[in-house]
Amino acid sequence: MGRKAVAIIVICWVVPISIIVNRIVPEPYMDEIFHVPQAQQYCKGNFKSWDPMITTPPGLYLLSLAYVASLFPGMHFLQRLSSFSNICSTLVLRTTNALLAVMCSVLVYEIITYLKPSLDERKATLRAVILSLYPLHWFFTFLYYTDVASLTAVLAMYLLVLKRKYLFSSLFGVLSVLIRQTNIIWVLFVACVGVLEFTKIHQIDNVRVDDSRVSERKGVQSALSKGVSSVSNLRKRRFSTNVSSPKNFTSRITVSSTPYTSGLLDEIQGIIVKSWHLKWELLASFSPFFMVFVAFVAFVCWNGSIVLGAKDAHAVSPHFAQLMYYSLVSAVFTFPVHFTLIQAAVLLGSFRQSRLLTFFQWFTALTAAFLSVHFFSIAHPYLIADNRHYPFYLWRKIIRYHWSTKYLLVPLYTYSWFSIFSSLVKSQQKIWTLAYFLASAATLIPAPLIEFRYYTIPFFFFILHSNINKKSWLLLGILYLAINCFTMFMFLFRPFFWDHEAGIQRFIW
């Protein structure tokens, strides 16, 4: 078991399903009608050509170009192809994501083992495989979309910052932004996590230095005790009352690194003070991330927008309700954790501990959620008109079923967010949880279109840092398998037709 087992298991379903998908749907579909021709232009060396309907940067096409370049020598030697551009077929371009999906599963395994070093290989392998089945990630493994490449680049950036390889991490940050520009938010989030880990490690190092100094002082006193025993005994008694033993120092480290022992304001104050003392070290280590951010700001100023093409259809909008939808979708995809009597009891227990504070938090959250769905709920034209997407049916059959439905869902949105916070603070600092929420909000709120694909990266950060037992993981695996079988069956074997447009239409996320 291990990373090799994860890769082999993922390959075992990626290869056969890719063959089936490409046999039944050989032509570009949905957004592929923009991505595939653009990648083919790059294969022809026509880098000045650009489809004005494409909103994302050319990172995926550059990755495909490198991938195709690695395949061409062998194919040309076998006389299967006469030119480089001929290899850039829809099938080959789709296999870019298939390969990236395998790499992504290995990255997930590495992150799991790094975050939970006490976890044995078998459990880590099981979790990585199940996360590779996450429906919104799994489905687009077989199509030429930017989602798989985006997630892979972000997770690689995150793993490298955890391993304190900041320069290489920032380079993957550049790649992630070149694939999807909204990943700049996750570049900043990863940098923030890196700062938190950096200051924590240096705090432990300082405690260890103090510990060694205490040991040296004890050694000196032990030597003096051989000559002057009475004075020495007196000194030892004074010393033992003023200085903690190494064991006590170890316990201090453990307590101080426990995320939920201090308040949010205390953590913010502590990180500010520590960062100021380590300002030059932080500047040297994290300046590459700052340079990435400055370059991105310069691009937005030059381009006049965060998106490249179709600016009118993807204009930045205050879509606060999107954050509510994300919380519910994420909670549903981890239902064994959130929708249980145990979790409800945990949240009720927090209310009993501090009734006034918890009441204020819930009242504020419910009010914010109500205002979000009332004033900032956007019905994008694409959402209303396109019945190929599942959000179309959720919007019509649930959210817009009755005028009161969207308000009746507000308590469920709020419960989902509180449950997510409750899961995160068990293993993470409160400031980490706050940074995660702000990053999710900054990514999702400006997006006017309800696309569940946008939830993939924040979901992975959430579930990777949640404590989930083995039974819940198995239930999640069953859920993901069932959803994937249903969505792929509907996509491949339940096509339909539009009266106003020629061609076969298929259901998609």
Side-chain angles (χ1 to χ4, degrees), residues 225-238:
S225 67
K226 295 179 181 180
V228 189
S229 59
S230 59
V231 178
S232 172
N233 291 333
L234 178 60
R235 288 178 179 175
K236 281 184 179 179
R237 286 195 294 271
R238 291 178 178 175

Side-chain angles (χ1 to χ4, degrees), residues 83-84 119 152 262 267 327 354 367 429:
S83 65
F84 182 83
L119 200 66
T152 304
S262 59
E267 290 184 5
S327 68
S354 180
T367 303
Q429 293 174 285

